[in-house]
Each structure stands twice: as C-alpha cells, then as structure tokens.
Amino acid sequence: MSENALTSGDFTEENEPYALFGTWLEEAAKTEPNDPNAVALATVDEAGLPNVRMVLLKGFDARGFVFYTNFESQKGVEILGALKAAMCFHWKSLRRQVRIRGEVEIVTDAEADEYYASRPRGSRIGAWASKQSRPLEGRFALEKAVAEYTARYAIGEIPRPPHWSGFRIKPVSIEFWHDRPFRLHDRMEFRRTADGAGWTKVRMYP
Ligand SMILES: Cc1cc2nc3c(=O)[nH]c(=O)nc-3n(C[C@H](O)[C@H](O)[C@H](O)COP(=O)(O)O)c2cc1C
C-alpha cells in the first residue's frame, strides 16, 4: 500500500482488513505516547445493558483479535454469557479509529499458557491475587493476597490460574475511519462474506 493511500485514507488497494490494521497499529506504536494496543472493549450484560472498558490487544491474525483477562470478572462473565463483543481503537495522534464486532471464542490453553509465561512474575502473581471486578474491602486485603501467593509460588513456575485466559473476537466487521478536513472523513467497512471465506468492502458516508 502506498504512503499516499494511507494518509489519504483511500482504501482502494485493500482487499482484506488485517494488513491495513497491522500497518495502522505499527504507525500508532511510533506516535502514541502510551499503549498503542489499548482498545475499548464493549460487552453486554444479561439484561442487555452495554458495558465498556479498556483492555490491551495481545495478538491478532486472520482468526481475530486476542486479549487476556480474568474470566470471573464482569467482562468475563458477560462475554461467556453472550459470546459476542465489540472493540474500538482510537489513535489520537493519528486521528484514526478502528471498530471491530464479532463473535468470541476462548483461546487454546497452549496459547494462554504461552502468553501467561511471558508476563512479568509480579503480573502472574497478580492474576492469582486479584478477584477482578468483585468488591475489595481495602487495599490491605489485596496486598495480603499478593503476599500469600508470592509465598506459595516462591519456588518454581507459577501456574496459570484456571480462571485467567484469553478471548478472541472473530470479526464479522472491521471498520477503518480516518480523519479528513471538514468532518468529511473516510470510512471503509470490511464485512465478512456469508460463507465466512472473504470480505466485502463498503465505503460509508462519514
Ligand atoms: C489502558 C488499559 C488497559 C487495560 N488492559 C486490561 C487487560 O488487558 N485486561 C484486563 O482484564 N483489564 C485491563 N484493564 C482494566 C480494565 O479496563 C477493567 O478495569 C478491568 O478489567 C475490570 O473490568 P470489568 O469489571 O468490566 O471486567 C485495562 C485498563 C486500561 C486503562
């Protein structure tokens, strides 16, 4: 893809969304002050009430977009209930947005183990110590839990908690948005074809 196509938001050369997403993420890594992989994750609870919070994208390929969390957290429970979610990246420094919607699957144990093992020791202990999204009576209770797990796993490998793993959003649509003057932005949505094998591109009014 030419530089001109990228800066103009002219998506004519793109036939699938992943290469373009990769280019945009790489560019964001050069320009964003923090966490270019930070993404808003939207879920819906049992009553149909939406919920949104940030997570960190930890991988993507033709299968979808992966992040890791506590499956007993609010988001974990909501995703396991609906098996659907949406994501929205906004790279302020680039004036770009990417929106992703899709069904969700759990990553394989091997995938989760590999990522968990790559995390700093303190983060691996934290995954055991934090009952994410449940009431915490005080900071001391958390520090006590960290101390307990630090002692328990003082020697050897720290196993991955059974309630900690990754979700993969398998997109049915990925929309790229690029700022243009006078709010006449470029928008291009890639939609999964009915057979799931390819993509159709739909340009949209801003
Ligand atoms: C930049 C940023 C990145 C975050 N990344 C993650 C993440 O990858 N996984 C995670 O469980 N929480 C992450 N969090 C915390 C979540 O936003 C949220 O507070 C927490 O997961 C509890 O959400 P829940 O109660 O909806 O489950 C992140 C927060 C911020 C601000």
Side-chain angles (χ1 to χ4, degrees):
M1 201 179 78
S2 75
E3 185 57 31
N4 185 46
L6 192 67
T7 49
S8 71
D10 174 359
F11 305 98
T12 46
E13 291 174 35
E14 312 299 331
N15 296 317
E16 62 83 37
Y18 288 107
L20 180 60
F21 179 81
T23 304
W24 281 24
L25 184 61
E26 268 174 35
E27 296 196 349
K30 291 180 204 142
T31 57
E32 289 291 306
N34 283 306
D35 297 332
N37 57 335
V39 57
L41 170 77
T43 54
V44 67
D45 74 8
E46 256 182 8
L49 190 64
N51 212 344
V52 64
R53 81 293 283 156
M54 302 304 291
V55 294
L56 295 178
L57 183 78
K58 287 295 171 182
F60 76 95
D61 59 24
R63 293 171 299 169
F65 295 82
V66 173
F67 64 93
Y68 288 88
T69 193
N70 184 318
F71 279 26
E72 295 169 355
S73 67
Q74 188 151 7
K75 84 181 85 49
V77 170
E78 289 173 2
I79 289 180
L80 291 170
L83 292 178
K84 292 184 178 77
M87 284 179 155
C88 182
F89 292 87
H90 177 216
W91 296 297
K92 291 188 176 64
S93 57
L94 296 173
R95 299 177 188 276
R96 285 174 181 163
Q97 171 179 257
V98 175
R99 295 164 67 184
I100 296 160
R101 304 175 77 205
E103 302 204 337
V104 179
E105 68 179 17
I106 298 170
V107 303
T108 63
D109 282 346
E111 230 178 316
D113 287 344
E114 188 182 343
Y115 173 63
Y116 184 76
S118 77
R119 303 177 84 212
R121 194 173 178 83
S123 305
R124 282 178 277 155
I125 293 287
W128 279 103
S130 175
K131 297 183 184 141
Q132 195 177 52
S133 311
R134 281 145 292 175
L136 172 62
E137 64 213 61
R139 193 77 199 169
F140 178 69
L142 178 60
E143 284 164 8
K144 194 162 155 257
V146 168
E148 280 166 9
Y149 283 107
T150 303
R152 184 182 302 181
Y153 296 120
I155 300 165
E157 283 306 301
I158 305 168
R160 178 171 59 86
H163 54 263
W164 192 98
S165 186
F167 288 117
R168 175 180 288 108
I169 301 191
K170 300 180 293 174
V172 293
S173 71
I174 305 182
E175 187 207 295
F176 294 84
W177 179 104
H178 184 81
D179 178 86
R180 298 290 300 273
F182 307 114
R183 306 271 159 219
L184 299 176
H185 313 299
D186 280 316
R187 291 179 70 186
M188 185 65 85
E189 186 178 323
F190 290 80
R191 294 182 188 159
R192 267 269 181 237
T193 51
D195 63 3
W199 300 92
T200 54
K201 262 166 63 173
V202 184
R203 191 179 284 278
M204 310 231 265
Y205 281 96

